[in-house]
Amino acid sequence: MKLAAIDIGSNAARMQISTVLHNDDLVSFKRVEYVRFPLRLGHDVFNFGELTPESEARTTKLMQVYKLLMELHEVEGYMACATSAMREASNGPDIARRIETATGVKIHIIDGQKEAELINNVVVQALDDRQFLHIDVGGGSTELNLYVNRQKVNSRSFKIGSVRLLEGKETKGAWRKIEDWVEDNVDASREIIAVGTGGNISKLFNLAAKTSEEGTTLTEIERIRNHIATFSLDDRINKLRLNADRADVIVPAADIYISVMKWARASQIIVPDLGLKDGIIQLVYSQHMKKRKTH
């Protein structure tokens, strides 16, 4: 059985198709297709408050492509979720309806809480009994989740993200709000380890020297960030071989991860290869199994 997840973010829209594997009672998901396209919807929304007709046309085209791929793979269930940009666009719900009429792909515009919950459901599997601060930086928002003994004890979504910072559109006092939240919620008497998810931290981690298969240090993330910052945008694309839509947002995104880690006094970060799309796949699977039981 194959299932699909579509994640329409403020910077890019991704689709992942996974095969469901059964090993005795253990269920796992193996990625068979992954496509990412830089729609950059956040540019419209954070500047004009709505999505332009051009963005609507490109998103519609992309959903047609994703629908065809799902048909080719004979996908049995899927879910498409839109986050910060479409959530804040005044015409977001209207565009989602028009896209569904044109393509048959239903887009669920989810709030920050639901977004965090879907990511958490997969991230928690990578944790142990220590104190962890999960940092998920998107194009338009940053989700923070605090875990102790594999239990989520607090979470909050902030209107600050890589595209929003790039455009100079972060909400007033957003940095201070994050700092205050970290100070109020993290237990300073216990060791804390950061967990990073999102495309930018994955790229920074790929470039960093590792302390383990999934881990590196704050010092190393800072070193990579400062190294990238010395290059012009053209050189980041041509010499560092970063995608054009990654090259301009990676430094602002790094600044969020670094700041949060410093405020939390976290010297280590683990970067599991997980994100919203994996959480969506898991949700689609559980819904699919519920349907099977009722029929």
Side-chain angles (χ1 to χ4, degrees):
M1 174 169 65
K2 286 181 190 173
L3 303 172
I6 297 171
D7 162 15
I8 303 165
S10 304
N11 191 25
R14 304 162 185 81
M15 183 182 70
Q16 180 170 310
I17 297 174
S18 295
T19 301
V20 182
L21 302 176
H22 297 272
N23 184 358
D24 296 326
D25 290 339
L26 193 70
V27 174
S28 60
F29 306 98
K30 183 174 186 281
R31 183 189 298 184
V32 291
E33 184 79 71
Y34 175 73
V35 185
R36 177 185 181 277
F37 187 83
L39 284 173
R40 196 55 72 91
L41 300 181
H43 172 76
D44 290 358
V45 180
F46 308 143
N47 283 294
F48 318 120
E50 62 178 25
L51 293 168
T52 59
E54 292 78 14
S55 283
E56 180 179 347
R58 289 164 81 229
T59 308
T60 304
K61 250 184 211 169
L62 188 61
M63 291 309 114
Q64 285 166 335
V65 171
Y66 286 174
K67 177 113 187 288
L68 285 170
L69 266 173
M70 288 193 288
E71 285 173 9
L72 281 169
H73 277 281
E74 298 176 355
V75 162
E76 289 185 43
Y78 82 93
M79 189 175 188
C81 294
T83 57
S84 185
M86 213 177 248
R87 184 159 73 218
E88 288 179 44
S90 59
N91 56 352
D94 290 339
I95 285 177
R97 277 193 291 274
R98 289 199 291 270
I99 289 173
E100 186 179 359
T101 304
T103 67
V105 175
K106 181 177 175 60
I107 296 171
H108 300 263
I109 299 173
I110 60 173
D111 60 26
Q113 206 174 343
K114 183 68 179 173
E115 183 181 350
E117 182 192 312
L118 287 168
I119 300 167
N120 295 342
N121 290 343
V122 286
V123 166
V124 73
Q125 296 161 22
L127 309 182
D128 55 34
D129 292 345
R130 291 172 295 177
Q131 181 178 220
F132 289 91
L133 180 60
H134 171 217
I135 310 161
D136 183 75
V137 177
S141 64
T142 293
E143 269 67 49
L144 296 184
N145 305 281
L146 187 67
Y147 290 90
V148 179
N149 298 327
R150 298 191 76 208
Q151 297 293 315
K152 186 166 75 165
V153 293
N154 217 326
S155 68
R156 176 93 183 265
S157 180
F158 299 88
K159 283 190 178 180
I160 190 168
S162 58
V163 178
R164 215 189 274 270
L165 275 181
L166 184 71
E167 305 277 355
K169 301 292 179 184
E170 70 273 18
T171 54
K172 199 172 181 303
W175 287 109
R176 187 60 200 267
K177 278 180 187 159
I178 296 181
E179 187 177 0
D180 289 347
W181 186 91
V182 169
E183 204 168 280
D184 292 345
N185 290 283
V186 171
D187 180 355
S189 68
R190 288 186 65 165
E191 179 195 21
I192 180 127
I193 296 149
V195 182
T197 54
N200 287 297
I201 194 67
S202 295
K203 178 50 77 175
L204 289 160
F205 181 68
N206 286 345
L207 299 169
K210 319 282 189 283
T211 52
S212 70
E213 198 181 314
E214 288 188 338
T216 189
T217 61
L218 169 61
T219 310
E220 187 59 14
I221 295 294
E222 283 189 285
R223 186 187 70 78
I224 295 294
R225 178 248 178 249
N226 294 337
H227 175 66
I228 294 170
T230 62
F231 289 81
S232 68
L233 198 57
D234 275 353
D235 283 348
R236 289 181 200 178
I237 294 164
N238 294 301
K239 290 182 180 174
L240 299 180
R241 303 176 76 86
L242 294 176
N243 288 339
D245 67 300
R246 177 75 65 220
D248 57 355
V249 293
I250 194 163
V251 170
D255 290 338
I256 301 175
Y257 289 104
I258 290 164
S259 299
V260 175
M261 284 181 74
K262 282 182 172 172
W263 291 328
R265 299 183 184 87
S267 59
Q268 303 283 328
I269 185 166
I270 59 167
V271 186
D273 184 19
L274 297 166
L276 178 59
K277 58 198 180 339
D278 303 281
I280 297 170
I281 294 258
Q282 200 163 285
L283 177 64
V284 173
Y285 175 74
S286 60
Q287 288 175 344
H288 192 80
M289 294 316 285
K290 265 185 203 157
K291 262 187 205 162
R292 272 194 177 177
K293 280 176 188 165
T294 53
H295 288 315

